[in-house]
């Protein structure tokens, strides 16, 4: 099992960041998956995504400060658990974590090779979240007009 965690201290307030976090937005921010469906369930949400034509089911559970999610079937992972959280403080702290192993006899090799791809996915998730919040803020020029 391989684990990757990224954590950034950022300027936008934690509340604004958490408002943008939804199961669908997390998947879209990753910029890897084609989101085919995303529906609320009694205990969170369930999404169907595809990557290179392979469908996977992802189950989300809400946390006080974000979401945790698991890839429960399909795809290349034997196990994949991730979470995205936003902590309050002097500055907001966004943390994205993924633990995974591939469903292959070569998983010990694939886990290492996949680290760069999974890290990039987490980086994109955080970067796109931040960009989404910044784009949603009113333009300074329009506030003074």
């Amino acid at each position: 099992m391989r684990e990757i965690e990224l954590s950034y201290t950022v300027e936008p307030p934690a509340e604004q960041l958490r408002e943008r976090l939804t199961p669908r937005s997390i998947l879209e921010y990753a910029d890897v998956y084609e989101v085919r469906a995303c529906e609320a369930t009694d205990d969170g949400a369930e999404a169907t995504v595809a990557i290179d034509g392979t469908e996977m089911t992802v189950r989300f559970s809400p946390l006080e400060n974000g979401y945790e999610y698991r890839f429960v079937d399909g795809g290349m992972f034997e196990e994949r658990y991730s979470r995205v959280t936003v902590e309050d403080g002097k500055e907001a702290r966004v943390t994205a974590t993924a633990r995974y192993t591939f469903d292959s006899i070569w998983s010990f090799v694939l886990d290492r090779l996949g680290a760069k791809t999974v890290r990039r996915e987490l980086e994109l998730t955080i970067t796109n979240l931040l960009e989404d919040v910044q784009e949603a803020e009113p333009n300074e020029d329009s506030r003074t007009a």
Side-chain angles (χ1 to χ4, degrees):
M1 171 103 24
R2 186 108 168 141
E3 181 172 318
I4 295 175
E5 181 175 285
L6 301 175
S7 191
Y8 297 96
T9 302
V10 298
E11 287 186 24
E15 183 178 318
Q16 286 181 353
L17 294 164
R18 281 194 294 266
E19 285 174 0
R20 293 284 188 211
L21 279 183
T22 66
R24 178 178 286 279
S25 71
I26 290 170
L27 294 167
E28 289 174 347
Y29 291 154
D31 208 22
V32 173
Y33 307 104
E34 174 192 336
V35 181
R36 294 193 171 166
C38 189
E39 297 182 15
T41 63
D42 291 340
D43 55 352
E46 186 170 291
T48 302
V49 299
I51 185 169
D52 294 332
T54 302
E55 278 197 0
M56 297 177 277
T57 302
V58 186
R59 287 200 184 118
F60 285 82
S61 298
L63 302 170
E64 182 179 322
N65 56 358
Y67 286 91
E68 65 181 4
Y69 51 103
R70 294 182 183 280
F71 290 71
V72 294
D73 67 10
M76 63 210 109
F77 297 107
E78 178 179 334
E79 184 177 350
R80 167 77 190 260
Y81 162 86
S82 298
R83 72 187 300 153
V84 177
T85 57
V86 180
E87 301 287 334
D88 291 309
K90 250 184 181 177
E91 299 174 286
R93 183 172 241 0
V94 181
T95 303
T97 306
R99 287 194 314 252
Y100 64 92
T101 190
F102 288 97
D103 187 15
S104 168
I105 59 170
W106 301 105
S107 64
F108 64 97
V109 173
L110 293 173
D111 287 351
R112 293 180 143 242
L113 294 174
K116 183 177 180 181
T117 302
V118 173
R119 176 177 296 281
R120 181 72 179 136
E121 177 184 330
L122 298 178
E123 288 171 348
L124 282 169
T125 300
I126 293 172
T127 299
N128 288 330
L129 168 62
L130 294 172
E131 286 178 5
D132 191 22
V133 168
Q134 289 172 347
E135 288 173 4
E137 290 179 358
N139 183 329
E140 237 180 86
D141 295 335
S142 67
R143 285 185 288 186
T144 58

